[in-house]
Amino acid sequence: MHPCYTCQGSIGGKPDSIAELRKPADPYRLECPDCDYKRHSTGRPAIILPLPTNRERRRAAAGKLDDPYWHIRMHHAQEYPDR
């Protein structure tokens, strides 16, 4: 899976930590448990990734895009089309 969007660590959390995920992470999850907890405790809103540009869409169609969050960006584009 992709790394944590905030700290670039493991999406499941640090091994043997209290916050480590005990089941497989949701494929649309962006943050590890520690970063997710920090975001919620400080009242920051949920992360919504930027819309894909036309250039990025063309590169993805050609198989030349190396964005680990691409499938999540496409999901956010469908989920939040008017942002």
Side-chain angles (χ1 to χ4, degrees):
M1 287 191 70
H2 54 274
C4 173
Y5 192 75
T6 305
C7 70
Q8 300 302 311
S10 170
I11 196 76
K14 294 178 184 169
D16 299 326
S17 68
I18 294 172
E20 180 185 17
L21 294 179
R22 300 293 181 212
K23 58 183 181 177
D26 176 30
Y28 298 119
R29 183 182 185 99
L30 285 170
E31 293 181 303
C32 67
D34 290 330
C35 293
D36 189 47
Y37 175 75
K38 288 175 189 172
R39 185 176 48 77
H40 282 307
S41 65
T42 58
R44 292 189 329 225
I47 297 173
I48 299 176
L49 297 182
L51 291 170
T53 63
N54 288 335
R55 180 176 185 224
E56 290 172 327
R57 289 177 193 259
R58 286 191 303 270
R59 290 192 64 174
K64 296 180 181 178
L65 187 67
D66 59 348
D67 183 357
Y69 305 101
W70 180 252
H71 69 283
I72 301 173
R73 289 178 68 192
M74 293 303 289
H75 174 75
H76 283 188
Q78 293 172 352
E79 192 77 21
Y80 311 104
D82 57 344
R83 61 178 162 78

